Each structure stands twice: as structure tokens, then as C-alpha cells.
């Protein structure tokens, strides 16, 4: 079995980084688990010393530890086109 076949059965789970109020602990929050649809938390580290990006990737699903999903950030929104991108060149049109 190659790497591709192992990753094929890992579902992506989009996450949001949150900190616990009054502490320095950060968590990745999976709002909807791809297996059960519930919310799950994954430890992301200390607010001051850890890089939370290092904890992204394959994680065991708390609802079923035998299943694994991939913690991923949500896609970035597309940039809006400027006025030049929206403007139509009227000189090219035939009337």
C-alpha cells in the first residue's frame, strides 16, 4: 500500500483556532465532524510558545479513535476584482 491509498480514506475537517478564556491554551475546533457531525476539540498548544500550524494534519476522531481525519484550514476568500476588472470595454462592442 502506498501513501496515496492511506490518505484516500482520510476525510478533510475544516477547523477554526480558538483560545480558552483565562488561559494560554489554544484549541482547533472542528465544527462538524465528517463522521458523526458533532463538534470536536483538538489541542493546538500554548498561546505564547507554540505554533498551532504544526498540529494540523492527521488526527484521530474522538467519536471513533479508529477513524482518522485531516485537520485543514478553511479556504481563503477570493480577492475582489478592482474597478478595471468589472468595467466593460464599450469600444469593442458592435452596435
Amino acid at each position: 500500500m502506498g501513501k496515496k491509498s492511506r490518505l484516500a480514506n482520510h476525510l478533510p475537517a475544516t477547523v477554526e483556532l480558538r483560545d480558552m478564556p483565562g488561559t494560554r491554551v489554544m484549541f482547533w475546533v472542528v465544527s462538524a465532524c465528517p463522521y458523526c457531525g458533532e463538534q470536536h476539540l483538538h489541542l493546538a498548544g500554548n498561546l505564547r510558545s507554540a505554533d498551532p500550524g504544526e498540529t494540523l494534519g492527521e488526527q484521530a476522531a474522538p467519536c471513533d479513535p479508529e477513524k482518522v481525519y485531516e485537520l485543514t484550514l478553511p479556504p481563503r476568500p477570493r480577492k475582489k476584482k478592482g474597478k478595471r476588472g468589472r468595467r466593460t470595454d464599450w469600444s469593442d462592442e458592435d452596435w
Side-chain angles (χ1 to χ4, degrees), residues 76-94:
R76 291 184 179 178
R78 294 186 179 198
K79 292 183 179 180
K80 293 183 179 180
K81 293 182 180 179
K83 288 183 179 180
R84 295 179 189 257
R86 289 182 286 179
R87 199 176 289 159
T88 306
D89 190 9
W90 296 102
S91 62
D92 291 343
E93 290 189 15
D94 295 328

Side-chain angles (χ1 to χ4, degrees), residues 55-66:
T55 57
L56 290 173
E58 296 178 6
Q59 294 282 335
C63 57
D64 187 359
E66 294 180 4

Side-chain angles (χ1 to χ4, degrees), residues 45-81:
N46 188 331
L47 188 63
R48 294 190 180 178
S49 63
D51 179 17
E54 293 177 357
T55 57
L56 290 173
E58 296 178 6
Q59 294 282 335
C63 57
D64 187 359
E66 294 180 4
K67 295 181 180 178
V68 176
Y69 53 58
E70 179 103 15
L71 298 181
T72 60
L73 295 174
R76 291 184 179 178
R78 294 186 179 198
K79 292 183 179 180
K80 293 183 179 180
K81 293 182 180 179

